[in-house]
Amino acid sequence: MKFFADTAEIEPIKELAATGLLDGVTTNPSLIHKSGRDFMEVTKEICGIVDGPVSAEVVALDHETMMKEAEVLRKIADNVCIKVPLTIDGLKTCKALTDDGTMVNVTLCFSANQALLAAKAGATFVSPFVGRHDDNGFDGMDLIRDIRLIYDNYLYDTEILVASVRHTTHVLESAKIGADVMTAPPKVIMALVNHVLTDKGIEGFLKDWKATGQSII
Ligand code: G3P
């Protein structure tokens, strides 16, 4: 399973990249706003830190302007992945860009039918938002299960990129279902390492090691 960081903050991206766990980054207009940085500048910086796809989102609502924005964004770096909303204009833009060899992430997916459309439009990634799905009284994981089933039925290449991940259980469930990618805030990715028995184990080993009076270096 690929791990993307859902952030536009440079320091956590660098920290995660150094662990070797990071396969890409996703941003959106809200995350750019939160970072307080210039969109083009911060996207370029992120693209220089990670080799994998870095999603940068268009903000236009019509196909023609989306294409113009995508043209600007894809010049930032070779690993930019253009993010488009799951609308008819977004799907049209997705088709045009992927036909041209550009990676596209179709975002704001809330139904399996929408995911089917994204695959038919040739999307590189589809982003179902599990956290927001849960917030609205649905089960985000049911959505991932349905999309996995449909994509496997027709052998679609579009990768399921689980988004709006809020906690480590979302990651675990997504991996069990067989989602291709998950994108999460860095603190959720870091929290995957936590286990009380690991901490207790280290404490016990160190106590016994100290009692030996030895040192390795
Ligand atoms: O990847 C999409 C994500 O940024 C949205 O997350 O927590 O705002 O629903 P959230």
Side-chain angles (χ1 to χ4, degrees):
M1 187 188 216
K2 286 179 241 177
F3 282 7
F4 290 180
D6 196 31
T7 185
E9 308 290 333
I10 297 298
E11 281 318 308
I13 292 172
K14 280 188 178 161
E15 201 185 339
L16 275 169
T19 64
L21 295 171
L22 195 60
D23 302 297
V25 171
T26 51
T27 68
N28 61 37
S30 305
L31 293 171
I32 296 294
H33 179 246
K34 197 171 160 203
S35 77
R37 299 273 313 269
D38 174 79
F39 183 24
M40 304 297 285
E41 195 185 279
V42 75
T43 307
K44 196 178 171 71
E45 198 172 339
I46 297 169
C47 287
I49 300 168
V50 294
D51 294 333
V54 175
S55 291
E57 189 161 343
V58 298
V59 289
L61 297 177
D62 66 287
H63 169 62
E64 259 184 34
T65 320
M66 280 185 195
M67 287 302 289
K68 284 184 192 153
E69 290 179 351
E71 201 47 48
V72 174
L73 296 175
R74 70 177 169 179
K75 283 196 186 115
I76 296 176
D78 288 345
N79 54 336
V80 164
C81 173
I82 307 297
K83 212 174 183 187
V84 299
L86 217 158
T87 60
I88 291 296
D89 285 73
L91 292 170
K92 211 168 147 186
T93 304
C94 172
K95 177 88 180 98
L97 290 172
T98 50
D99 279 354
D100 204 21
T102 301
M103 288 186 287
V104 177
N105 176 357
V106 179
T107 190
L108 291 167
C109 172
F110 292 94
S111 80
N113 274 338
Q114 287 182 319
L116 177 57
L117 297 182
K120 284 182 68 66
T124 317
F125 303 102
V126 65
S127 289
F129 277 33
V130 292
R132 292 192 195 183
H133 215 63
D134 294 350
D135 291 346
N136 284 277
F138 302 96
D139 184 344
M141 286 306 142
D142 281 346
L143 176 60
I144 304 305
R145 236 172 259 116
D146 285 349
I147 300 173
R148 180 74 285 156
L149 178 70
I150 291 167
Y151 281 13
D152 288 350
N153 281 348
Y154 297 98
L155 304 179
Y156 285 125
D157 290 334
T158 300
E159 295 189 36
I160 303 172
L161 195 173
V162 181
S164 185
V165 165
R166 303 274 172 77
H167 46 71
T168 54
T169 308
H170 275 148
V171 181
L172 177 66
E173 292 302 320
S174 302
K176 281 159 72 178
I177 294 165
D180 305 282
V181 194
M182 72 87 200
T183 189
K187 67 172 187 325
V188 173
I189 300 178
M190 288 301 194
L192 292 169
V193 81
N194 295 340
H195 200 290
V196 65
L197 292 179
T198 305
D199 297 341
K200 257 182 105 170
I202 290 173
E203 201 184 308
F205 286 155
L206 288 186
K207 189 166 164 264
D208 291 341
W209 177 247
K210 206 170 166 200
T212 70
Q214 302 177 45
S215 70
I216 299 174
I217 49 167

